[in-house]
Amino acid sequence: MPTEKPFRTIIEPFRIKSVEPLRRTTRAQRDAALRAAGWNLFALRGQDVLLDLLTDSGTGALSAQQWSMMMRGDETYAGADSFYRFESAVRDITGLAHVIPTHQGRAAERILMGALVHPGDVVPNNTHFDTTRANIEHRGATAIDLPCLQSRAERNAPFKGNIDLARLEATLIEHKGRVPFVMITVTNNSGGGQPVSLANIRATREMCTRHGVPFYLDACRFAENAWFIHMREDGQATRSPLAIARDMFACVDGCTMSAKKDGMANIGGFLAINDPSVVELCRANLILTEGFPTYGGLAGYDLEAIAVGLYEALDEEYLRYRIRSIAYLAERLEDAGIPMLTPPGGHALYLDAAAMLPHIPWNQYPGCSLAAAIYLEGGVRACEIGSMMFGQQPDGTERPAAQELVRLAFPRRVYTQSHVDYLVEVLVRVHARREQINGMHIVRAPLVLRHFSARLEPCGAELYEATRVMACSTR
Ligand code: F0G
């Protein structure tokens, strides 16, 4: 038999059985919605958004298989069948012994930190996600980010999510006895959705063993990470994402998981842990706020959706389409000269707002201006990841964030190629008028996590200036 020549086009590996209409708005309606939202896209109503790329968390489409298993959801309070199906899927994929369901990722974090982290401790990570950092700091400990040097210095390094092993070792020596565990986040969301290599995970395991420190994964996007390993790491091309994922988990003592990402569910999460003494502490903590250990704040049908979703996230056809759809967007933007972080991440593409809007200083939040301009232009909602999100210091002062980014995060199995083509058109139009985009200033903001609820206003009162005449003088 001659081998079949592969097709160049990578198709969405599903057909659509159930649809949800999108609501179109006029520019005038979007302008009014932006003003009512205080120019903060978190305050928009979903129905005013055409393409919602705010997050890939809990926003995906369920499969027919998930819906059918959800009908089998067993809502028994203790010992439901749904729990055992969920537990068996998590054990099969992670190889970790004990599985604790939680209502989402940050609940797993809070419970783990409650069991293991004490005041004065130090927890290293390639880059902590906001809630992970907040849960560590809430325990009076310090969260340290140790991204590898290539993450900033090289344009297209394959594993920009790696942890910096030299700095990790120095941290373990400097803070000996005060590091309750080391964590690696796959993929590195706050660092641009970049993957971590199996070699880096294995080297971290070896180092943690030498120092007698446990090692945990923040596994939210473990399947996307496994696919990048399959595509980019020497010797992994013939291995399945499931086999690679098992190797990743074989290196760790436990993991936290938000099933709203690679669990392909709308809600849910879990902790999976080997050490029975840690499990005991976590279960005690769980009952206080989440519920009995066989449901952990979830309905039986949620547990079913996750049990199926974890395998669907590891499906090769799905992963090929998923990663390719972001790469396709990146290629189109590259052609248009639109600045972004490269290579693109697994779940999102990060626009470089500082490079696109060099006339807007960091303390006029170029990422917020760019995100607002993208919404105004085409009804697309993105998320600022820059000095609005990270600039506020505990003492009330402000510091520039490391980068001024706008994240376009893709819900799983929701949008098709024509949606991406439309998005490209929107971004090209915004880019063409970039010099006329004004900065923003804060009208009102809370003292913590201000990016969710701050009210802003364009400097000069309009987002687009017909001719740029003024810089904002209010800050
Ligand atoms: N860890 C990472 C790496 C995450 O990206 C998230 C959530 C969490 C933990 C917390 O999980 O939301 O289920 O409580 N990230 C979402 C995002 C919110 O938009 O990136 P959760």
Side-chain angles (χ1 to χ4, degrees), residues 54-57 104-107 109 129 131-132 185 187 189 218 220-221 258-261 268 347 407:
L54 187 67
T55 178
D56 65 323
S57 181
Q104 62 183 90
R106 65 199 69 184
E109 290 166 359
F129 181 67
T131 57
T132 325
T185 304
T187 55
N189 183 15
D218 175 340
C220 295
R221 298 176 180 87
S258 166
K260 301 171 76 173
K261 284 81 167 177
H347 67 298
R407 185 182 76 169

Side-chain angles (χ1 to χ4, degrees), residues 94-110:
T94 67
L96 294 161
H98 306 282
V99 182
I100 301 175
T102 61
H103 82 273
Q104 62 183 90
R106 65 199 69 184
E109 290 166 359
R110 189 190 63 76

Side-chain angles (χ1 to χ4, degrees), residues 378-395:
V380 178
R381 174 153 66 171
C383 181
E384 189 257 12
I385 301 196
S387 293
M388 177 58 67
M389 192 179 272
F390 298 123
Q392 188 178 34
Q393 304 304 307
D395 65 1

Side-chain angles (χ1 to χ4, degrees), residues 157-199:
F159 291 106
K160 282 179 157 184
N162 284 353
I163 198 163
D164 184 328
L165 291 162
R167 285 199 293 155
L168 177 60
E169 182 121 58
T171 305
L172 289 170
I173 292 168
E174 185 186 343
H175 300 286
K176 191 174 163 50
R178 288 197 293 133
V179 181
F181 59 89
V182 169
M183 198 166 216
I184 284 188
T185 304
V186 292
T187 55
N188 186 358
N189 183 15
S190 307
Q194 301 292 321
V196 181
S197 69
L198 200 47

Side-chain angles (χ1 to χ4, degrees), residues 35 39 438-439 441 457-465 470:
R35 286 172 201 278
W39 302 89
N438 268 333
H441 66 96
E457 207 169 62
C459 303
E462 295 297 329
L463 183 60
Y464 283 103
E465 289 285 313
M470 56 179 293

Side-chain angles (χ1 to χ4, degrees), residues 29 70 141 153 165 171 223 246 265 292 296 324 369 411 433:
Q29 285 171 325
M70 286 165 78
L165 291 162
T171 305
R246 284 186 177 137
F292 193 73
R324 176 62 201 150
S369 295
R433 293 177 63 192

